[in-house]
Amino acid sequence: AAAAAASGVEGSATTAPPTRGLALDCGAGIGRVTKEVLLPAGFARVDLLDVRPEFLAKAREYIPAERLGRTLCCGLAEFDFLHTESAAWDLIWVQWCSIYLTDAAFVEFFRR
């Protein structure tokens, strides 16, 4: 799925010219999708959301600092999309982490 989303994209996280604004990578882990898909797709910056602070710390080392937005340590079920400072993302990427939500939490996630 990630490869299909990035089809036709050339460059890398460090060389692709940003042509899009801000993305949010939910369940970002250490930032692999951010570095290999979202940044090459042209996003100027990407905010990362993950429940594990040690993953976010690794992401700060893995992703070029000039393209890394905020690192937000919170679970997907608890994250308040509407009341987060500067919550104006052009894309919200949710992949593997959604399988850990209960059905009710998943529905509530989409409502927010």
Side-chain angles (χ1 to χ4, degrees):
S7 65
V9 174
E10 295 183 23
S12 72
T14 56
T15 62
T19 57
R20 298 181 173 133
L22 178 64
L24 172 65
D25 184 356
C26 297
I30 67 163
R32 287 185 187 100
V33 169
T34 292
K35 187 171 183 178
E36 302 300 329
V37 177
L38 300 176
L39 294 179
F43 286 93
R45 286 184 310 117
V46 179
D47 288 344
L48 306 182
L49 173 68
D50 202 279
V51 71
R52 306 277 305 263
E54 63 272 23
F55 289 172
L56 294 171
K58 278 284 187 196
R60 288 184 205 98
E61 299 169 8
Y62 183 65
I63 298 170
E66 66 276 5
R67 306 285 299 275
L68 179 61
R70 295 170 296 167
T71 53
L72 308 162
C73 191
C74 183
L76 191 59
E78 296 83 28
F79 187 66
D80 187 351
F81 289 87
L82 297 177
H83 298 100
T84 299
E85 185 180 332
S86 301
W89 298 286
D90 299 298
L91 172 84
I92 298 175
W93 183 279
V94 182
Q95 196 166 321
W96 303 108
C97 64
S98 63
I99 66 172
Y100 298 105
L101 295 175
T102 64
D103 290 347
F106 196 58
V107 169
E108 181 58 30
F109 162 75
F110 278 106
R111 286 188 178 137
R112 287 181 280 142

